[in-house]
Each structure stands twice: as C-alpha cells, then as structure tokens.
Amino acid sequence: MLLINCPYCGEREQEEFTCGGEAHIERPKNPPDLSDDQWADYLFLRQNTKGLQYERWNHSFGCRQWFNVARNTATDEILAIYKIGEKPPPLESNEPLTPSGEPHIGSGNFSTSKK
Amino acid sequence: MTLSRNTVLENIKIEKNGITIEELPFVGKINLRGNTKDRDFLSNAGSVLDVLIPTEPNTIITNTDLQIIWLSPNEWLLSFLKNENFIKTFNELNTRLNPEKTSITDISENKTIIRIEGNKTTELLRKFMILNIDETLKDNLKVAQTIFVKIPILITRNHLNQEKQSFDIYVNRSHTTYLRDLLLDGCN
Ligand SMILES: [Zn+2]
C-alpha cells in the first residue's frame, strides 16, 4: 500500500485513490485530420515506463480532486506530487534507475526473461 | 418543501460497552458549490450564512448548529443540525447567489448521520478505518471524507478533549444498517 499525499487533504492511504494513467497527454487539436493510427495512438498507446512515470491520480473517496504524481514504477517511490495545470518538476536529470539496471522503456523484464 | 424523513434504523439509539450509537433524526443538508476566487460568491454566501465559508481543507465552521463542512476546494456541505433555518437559508442562497456560477442542491435525503460517543470511540473506529484518525481528526471541527471498510463516509469530530469522544458519520442510507451492525460487533 502506498501513502499518497493529496495536495488538498494531506497524507492518505492508496485505497482512497484511483489512478488515472499517464499524465500530460494532450488531446490533438485537429482530430478530423488524424489518421486512424494517430488517433489510436492518442487514445490507447502509452509509454508503460519502467522507472520515472508521470501519472494522474484522483482522490476518489476524499476530495475527488485530480492531481499529478511522479512515481518510479519499478520501486513505487513517489518523487513528486503537483496540482493539475502545473508543470512537472524537473526530475529528468536524476531519473531513478530501475533496480536491475535495465532501460526504462521497451525492455520487458530482464531478470524474469533470463530464467 | 417539507422536512421529514424517517430514520433508517428502527432502534435509533443503542448503548453497548460504554459506546452510544445514535442515528440523528432528520437533518437538512445543502451541497453548495462555487469558486473561492469569486468575491461575490464569498461575500454573498457569507452574508446569508452569517459566517465565512471555510477554505482550509478538512475543516468545519459552525454557526448556531449550522455546520459548514469543507468537501473540496469548490464544494461545501451545509448541515443543519438542530437548526430550523433550512428552508429560509436554502431560499436565500438561491436568491443571493449567481445561478450561473454556483450550485445549490438540497441533498437532505442523500445521507443519514450516525453519532458515536464514548471514551473508546477512536479505538472502535480504528478497527474499521484506514484513516489516521489521530492525525487527520486531531482537533474538534475537523472533517475527513474516507472509507469505513469499503463504505464511503464523511466523518466529523465533535469533541474537544479525549474524555468525551464524539464523532458524526455521514453515511448513505442504504449502508446504514451495515455500518451499525459492524460498529456493534466491534464493541464486543
Ligand atoms: Zn484529497
């Protein structure tokens, strides 16, 4: 279980929250001009990062507000929490390493596939 | 508009091992929404309610048994505990506030209120709740929206000192018997 620091209510248990998936995905400004592939990309395709990922969360059983969380998906460590509309804090420079040292995207899981 | 609705529980007050569980008779409730950056909203709502609405999260401001409960940065619950001005206030809010920028909804029948009292109430609640009660509800007039087992609830702290613990739990009418049964079980 994670303890998540809601920007409004303070620290609460994860059970009160809902994860809304990857954050900062902009809706295309010209949907009619997009090909099916581009539209599907916007709707369905996500980075699925192993390591630092920016996510949206909702305090669904509390204040019902949306906010952003920067989380290391490999270790579950929460690195930053910021409100909707705010720019993500600069974390790229010290992006957390995955415990096994594998790349963040598209690697599968080295430690399992070796077996 | 009449203010009457039966309580959910037949036996509205039960005592067990020093804990009292009581369903409060019908309480009028209004859900109020508006923008705190809108000065007209703040001052008009303030003058109708005779008190400024709370902007600090998880807090309550009271005015003669009317509780104004913070729900989110733009939403409040007005709970008319023992306060008979429900209809008057409801109408005044509708007259004074800009309907395009605010919402005023009578939600009196949405939830019922269970009051739990006794000096071991916190201990009892801890059996069912993941909320850090000592931290989030550390003073009187603090409020939290959270879950009780899996039930969504709103809980307010009424007491000043630990010797006379008292909490109000706002719960959906359909969950009330379940909540009461669990609490009674927890008293053993
Ligand atoms: Zn919250």
Side-chain angles (χ1 to χ4, degrees):
Chain A
M1 272 300 186
L2 296 173
L3 273 178
I4 300 173
N5 198 359
C6 169
Y8 305 94
C9 308
E11 214 164 63
R12 299 287 184 89
E13 293 260 357
Q14 182 190 346
E15 223 179 320
E16 292 184 12
F17 297 84
T18 314
C19 181
E22 202 179 314
H24 308 300
I25 295 172
E26 225 176 288
R27 186 187 164 87
K29 290 199 171 61
N30 50 346
D33 302 340
L34 296 188
S35 69
D36 284 353
D37 281 353
Q38 286 168 317
W39 187 242
D41 187 8
Y42 159 69
L43 282 184
F44 305 114
L45 296 183
R46 298 295 177 258
Q47 291 284 355
N48 199 20
T49 312
K50 186 162 191 175
L52 175 66
Q53 170 161 278
Y54 297 96
E55 300 170 331
R56 294 171 304 168
W57 282 76
N58 183 271
H59 193 188
S60 36
F61 286 105
C63 61
R64 302 182 309 291
Q65 301 298 301
W66 285 96
F67 56 93
N68 296 307
V69 173
R71 179 173 69 98
N72 182 343
T73 56
T75 61
D76 250 354
E77 188 188 355
I78 291 175
L79 299 146
I81 288 179
Y82 52 102
K83 289 183 181 171
I84 290 292
E86 288 177 7
K87 287 242 152 51
L91 292 168
E92 270 83 356
S93 52
N94 54 355
E95 187 166 333
L97 288 173
T98 55
S100 55
E102 62 201 80
H104 300 107
I105 299 169
S107 61
N109 189 324
F110 286 9
S111 43
T112 348
S113 55
K114 267 184 207 157
K115 280 175 195 167
Chain B
M1 193 163 29
T2 52
L3 277 185
S4 68
R5 176 89 190 229
N6 292 339
T7 51
V8 182
L9 306 174
E10 278 175 26
N11 195 358
I12 63 165
K13 192 168 182 175
I14 309 165
E15 275 186 71
K16 196 173 177 185
N17 294 338
I19 303 251
T20 319
I21 300 166
E22 182 187 8
E23 181 179 356
L24 301 188
F26 193 86
V27 173
K29 301 176 207 78
I30 295 172
N31 179 286
L32 176 68
R33 301 199 67 171
N35 188 346
T36 48
K37 290 191 182 102
D38 175 359
R39 283 174 164 236
D40 286 343
F41 167 69
L42 276 187
S43 65
N44 287 335
S47 76
V48 174
L49 303 169
D50 219 9
V51 65
L52 276 181
I53 53 177
T55 49
E56 194 189 324
N58 305 326
T59 58
I60 303 172
I61 287 180
T62 60
N63 180 15
T64 50
D65 289 325
L66 162 65
Q67 290 198 336
I68 304 161
I69 303 172
W70 183 93
L71 294 178
S72 83
N74 55 16
E75 188 174 7
W76 297 267
L77 172 67
L78 315 184
S79 181
F80 292 73
L81 299 158
K82 288 193 231 149
N83 185 309
E84 275 135 34
N85 293 327
F86 173 81
I87 294 169
K88 187 172 153 259
T89 313
F90 185 75
N91 292 339
E92 267 182 41
L93 285 171
N94 274 298
T95 326
R96 295 286 299 274
L97 300 182
N98 181 345
E100 283 172 10
K101 293 181 178 170
T102 51
S103 107
I104 305 147
T105 318
D106 173 6
I107 53 159
S108 304
E109 310 205 336
N110 172 244
K111 283 181 176 156
T112 190
I113 304 174
I114 302 287
R115 180 165 288 175
I116 325 173
E117 290 177 319
N119 58 9
K120 285 190 173 166
T121 310
T122 317
E123 214 171 293
L124 171 65
L125 291 174
R126 268 196 216 113
K127 294 183 183 177
F128 306 99
M129 290 170 61
I130 49 167
L131 182 79
N132 186 344
I133 299 172
D134 301 308
E135 178 57 35
T136 312
L137 303 173
K138 61 173 178 267
D139 301 306
N140 70 320
L141 299 179
K142 283 273 185 187
V143 57
Q145 296 164 91
T146 179
I147 43 178
F148 181 99
V149 193
K150 295 278 179 189
I151 311 174
I153 58 157
L154 180 148
I155 180 167
T156 67
R157 173 173 162 165
N158 308 319
H159 58 281
L160 264 171
N161 61 39
Q162 289 294 343
E163 269 101 75
K164 284 187 177 175
Q165 294 178 19
S166 166
F167 295 92
D168 283 353
I169 296 182
Y170 292 65
V171 59
N172 290 332
R173 294 179 68 90
S174 57
H175 291 143
T176 311
T177 359
Y178 180 58
L179 179 104
R180 189 262 329 257
D181 291 349
L182 282 175
L183 285 171
L184 281 178
D185 223 26
C187 288
N188 288 331

